[in-house]
Amino acid sequence: MHEDIQEVLFSEEEIAARVAEIGAQITKDYAGVVEQDGQGIILISVLRGAAIFMADLAREIKLPLEMDYMAISSYGNGAKSSGVVRILKDLSSEVEGRHIIVAEDILDSGLTLTYLMKNLASRNPASIEVATLLRKKTLAQAEIDCKYVGFECPDQFIVGYGLDFAERYRNLPYIGILKPEVY
Ligand code: XMP
Ligand code: MG
């Protein structure tokens, strides 16, 4: 284990098993939709944290799909997100009439996702659902409608498997709690 990690929450094996389950569930849920629609799903990941999750999830969905990326930056001071978001990189594809699944790394206050959902909905997709790898146990995001959730996690600073602190630790194969003395 990395010396900056206080506790491993989810091992590489646990993550792989859960991602496979979510992929199988999506495959089941969207098989009919994709057949009827004649077009695949569009998986969208929010850079950069969700890129690793989406790459693994995509390979567990046994249906035609496209992958696209958005980069956003939230304004505001410090560690808590303000919900005011700026788009740094927009999608490459048109999503009107398409079935979108947004892959997120972690849902904390839910403000970032709320903004993103509004923005995507304004482009008139056929449907939008969210697959988040992690959801923090906080009251604030209780009302966020998220169809696929990998794991519930404690309200601490989490890194690994795409999640960073100051751009580090994204390449840890497991998910863990960062030691408070590191940040
Ligand atoms: P909100 O509060 O808008 O924030 O739901 C979601 C975004 O905040 C980042 N975030 C974290 N990143 N470890 C991280 O590496 C964490 O524990 C953490 N909590 C929130 C993340 O970018 C997420 O998309
Ligand atoms: Mg980050």
Side-chain angles (χ1 to χ4, degrees):
M1 186 169 80
H2 194 291
E3 59 181 8
D4 295 347
I5 300 299
Q6 178 179 298
E7 183 193 336
V8 173
L9 292 174
F10 308 107
S11 70
E12 192 173 355
E13 294 73 24
E14 285 170 317
I15 297 167
R18 188 70 189 112
V19 172
E21 281 175 6
I22 297 171
Q25 188 63 52
I26 290 174
T27 305
K28 202 169 148 232
D29 293 348
Y30 283 81
V33 167
V34 166
E35 200 188 8
Q36 207 174 33
D37 188 62
Q39 277 183 304
I41 301 161
I42 302 191
L43 260 187
I44 294 173
S45 104
V46 184
L47 297 172
R48 293 171 247 185
I52 290 181
F53 171 49
M54 189 166 95
D56 285 345
L57 181 62
R59 283 173 283 184
E60 298 294 346
I61 300 174
K62 313 298 180 189
L63 294 169
L65 62 80
E66 294 170 35
M67 294 161 82
D68 205 344
Y69 304 89
M70 272 179 97
I72 58 182
S73 114
S74 50
Y75 290 111
N77 38 0
K80 285 284 161 199
S81 78
S82 63
V84 183
V85 171
R86 191 160 56 106
I87 295 177
L88 302 177
K89 183 223 169 287
D90 207 346
L91 297 175
S92 303
S93 358
E94 295 291 333
V95 297
E96 188 171 351
R98 304 293 302 274
H99 294 280
I100 295 176
I101 301 175
V102 176
E104 254 287 34
D105 51 358
I106 186 163
L107 238 132
D108 189 350
S109 71
L111 288 169
T112 310
L113 189 63
T114 301
Y115 168 85
L116 194 71
M117 295 295 276
K118 266 191 210 145
N119 181 290
L120 291 173
S122 73
R123 308 179 196 203
N124 300 315
S127 68
I128 315 181
E129 295 292 353
V130 178
T132 188
L133 179 63
L134 297 164
R135 182 163 66 185
K136 278 192 183 173
K137 286 194 197 103
T138 54
L139 271 179
Q141 42 84 358
E143 68 275 22
I144 297 277
D145 184 25
C146 184
K147 189 158 185 185
Y148 307 100
V149 180
F151 304 102
E152 304 285 347
C153 71
D155 191 10
Q156 303 205 50
F157 206 84
I158 311 291
V159 296
Y161 193 72
L163 290 149
D164 73 307
F165 172 67
E167 296 308 321
R168 290 186 60 202
Y169 313 107
R170 291 193 198 278
N171 59 333
L172 294 179
Y174 50 83
I175 292 167
I177 299 173
L178 191 61
K179 285 182 182 167
E181 58 262 39
V182 179
Y183 58 92

